[in-house]
Amino acid sequence: MRSFLRAVSLLCLLVLLSGCGYNQIQQKDEATKAAWSEVLNQYKRRADLIPNLVNTVKGYAAQEKDVLIRVTEARAKVGQIQVNASDAQSLAQFQAAQGELSSALSRLMVVTENYPNLKSDQSFRDLQAQLEGTENRITVARGRYIQSVQDYNTYIRQFPALITAKLFGYQAKPNFTVENEQQIQQAPNVDFGQPQPQQQPAPQPPPQPQSAPAAG
């Protein structure tokens, strides 16, 4: 009898949890974890490309020492961060470090425009294509993660999932922020210039009447 009551109680509990959104919270939480893993995977793919890229550029543009050092240091900084996606401060540090690396890589790509031999090197062109593809994958992975976190956060704030989330300690997850947010919020300063008034030609004086010749 006790076993039967225990089984009935367990079944009622499972039905209650399902109706309160417990299963959905689990699914959405796992979806955010999978999306975050893909973000890390793509960032790691980019980091793995950088040493070969730096060595290739160094072979043609060793004089660009400062740019190469900046890329190497930015990559090392990224590798030292132990990111916790559930902690807002940790995620912000991770995003800032990745932003510095992106900026250093952009500067490196600008510098390579000054070296035609480097641009024609097949190894460099392959690395450049892989880097561009990885940047696109990073953008896609970040976008999916942002949507996944938004979906999760929205769900656990709704009733009755709100109660279940509080009972089991599920909290809202931090998300990526817009890079250069202050610059984006500022309206662009567009100056089309004021049209210059056209100068009117100076008026010509009226012709003077000629005097009649004197009689002889």
Side-chain angles (χ1 to χ4, degrees):
M1 187 64 180
R2 291 182 179 178
S3 299
F4 175 76
L5 292 176
R6 186 177 301 173
V8 172
S9 299
L10 181 59
L11 180 61
C12 292
L13 180 60
L14 291 175
V15 172
L16 181 62
L17 290 176
S18 177
C20 291
Y22 180 82
N23 291 340
Q24 288 82 353
I25 291 177
Q26 300 301 312
Q27 293 173 0
K28 294 179 184 298
D29 184 49
E30 290 300 322
T32 59
K33 292 177 180 177
W36 175 246
S37 296
E38 182 61 18
V39 170
L40 293 179
N41 180 48
Q42 297 305 328
Y43 274 126
K44 184 179 184 303
R45 177 186 175 92
R46 181 174 71 171
D48 291 342
L49 289 172
I50 291 176
N52 289 336
L53 180 65
V54 169
N55 289 332
T56 302
V57 174
K58 188 185 301 184
Y60 289 88
Q63 61 270 31
E64 304 292 347
K65 183 178 179 180
D66 292 341
V67 179
L68 295 170
I69 290 177
R70 202 167 299 172
V71 172
T72 303
E73 290 179 346
R75 179 184 181 273
K77 184 176 181 180
V78 165
Q80 293 172 357
I81 294 179
Q82 300 295 325
V83 59
N84 178 10
S86 298
D87 180 70
Q89 183 177 1
S90 177
L91 182 61
Q93 293 176 348
F94 176 79
Q95 181 177 358
Q98 294 291 353
E100 291 179 8
L101 180 55
S102 296
S103 178
L105 284 172
S106 297
R107 177 56 183 165
L108 180 62
M109 291 297 101
V110 171
V111 167
T112 60
E113 295 295 323
N114 299 325
Y115 300 91
N117 292 336
L118 172 61
K119 292 175 60 178
S120 63
D121 182 87
Q122 186 61 44
S123 297
F124 173 76
R125 292 168 61 181
D126 292 342
L127 287 169
Q128 187 178 28
Q130 293 180 50
L131 183 61
E132 291 175 354
T134 302
E135 294 291 351
N136 292 334
R137 293 187 182 94
I138 289 174
T139 301
V140 172
R142 278 172 54 110
R144 290 175 178 171
Y145 179 73
I146 290 172
Q147 292 177 355
S148 178
V149 170
Q150 182 181 8
D151 180 57
Y152 168 85
N153 288 344
T154 301
Y155 186 78
I156 67 170
R157 290 189 175 102
Q158 296 175 345
F159 185 85
L162 173 64
I163 298 175
T164 305
K166 288 185 176 181
L167 286 175
F168 290 91
Y170 287 96
Q171 299 178 353
K173 298 178 182 292
N175 212 338
F176 282 111
T177 57
V178 178
E179 296 179 0
N180 301 325
E181 184 174 359
Q182 294 182 351
Q183 296 180 9
I184 294 175
Q185 291 178 347
Q186 295 177 354
N189 184 16
V190 181
D191 183 11
F192 293 100
Q194 296 295 329
Q196 298 294 330
Q198 296 183 355
Q199 295 183 353
Q200 300 293 333
Q204 298 294 329
Q208 298 295 328
Q210 297 181 355
S211 58

